[in-house]
Amino acid sequence: MTLTRRSLLACSASFAAAAPFAAWAEDKPSIHVMKDPNCGCCSAWIEILENEGFAVTTERSMGTLLIKYKQDNGIPQKMASCHTGKIDGYMIEGHVPPADIRNLLAERPDAIGLAVPGMPYGSPGMGPESERDAYDVYLIARDGSSEVFSSYDAA
């Protein structure tokens, strides 16, 4: 095969066109979610994450196995919700908004992760945001204590 100026230009143009997509693929954060296979709100939260540019993998778990997974990864019982994600060394418990996950990854605090305890109406995956109840997103410290990371007013 002979390398001509035309083939070199065509090859260069192909790389230039593909470069933005390669950068986008590298910036796509990967999260692994443990969830009850029968839970519709878990699936709705996962869909929101995917629409926000997260690469999501899931694993089915339920009952005492899911509770043990949460405990083994430092999620206090009072912070528990229906699904648990793991992203870049952090745990994400419940219906945490994608923007808060991105803020956590940008700030990189020395913590276990974030939690939205329970299942507040209007949190991501739990009904329309336009009708949401007020709720807080908590930062879980390594000693099991927690503090408010962000707050969402009722709509």
Side-chain angles (χ1 to χ4, degrees), residues 105-122:
L105 296 175
E107 294 173 14
R108 308 269 335 142
D110 182 24
I112 290 171
L114 298 177
V116 173
M119 300 165 71
Y121 189 76

Side-chain angles (χ1 to χ4, degrees), residues 29-32 85-92 104-106 108 112:
S30 297
I31 184 168
H32 183 73
K86 191 174 224 177
I87 183 168
D88 203 16
Y90 289 107
M91 302 306 294
I92 307 297
L104 175 75
L105 296 175
R108 308 269 335 142
I112 290 171

Side-chain angles (χ1 to χ4, degrees), residues 32-54:
H32 183 73
V33 180
M34 300 287 283
K35 68 179 228 52
D36 184 315
N38 301 312
C39 184
C41 68
C42 297
S43 298
W45 181 72
I46 288 166
E47 186 177 325
I48 289 167
L49 289 180
E50 289 171 334
N51 290 338
E52 289 289 326
F54 288 82

Side-chain angles (χ1 to χ4, degrees), residues 9 27 36 50 54 81 90 96-97 101 111 120 122 134 148:
L9 286 172
D27 291 337
D36 184 315
E50 289 171 334
F54 288 82
S81 185
Y90 289 107
V96 176
I101 298 171
V148 174

Side-chain angles (χ1 to χ4, degrees), residues 116 120-123 131-137 151-155:
V116 173
Y121 189 76
S123 61
E131 299 174 21
R132 77 169 172 238
D133 294 334
Y135 69 95
D136 293 321
V137 177
S151 293
Y152 292 85
D153 295 330

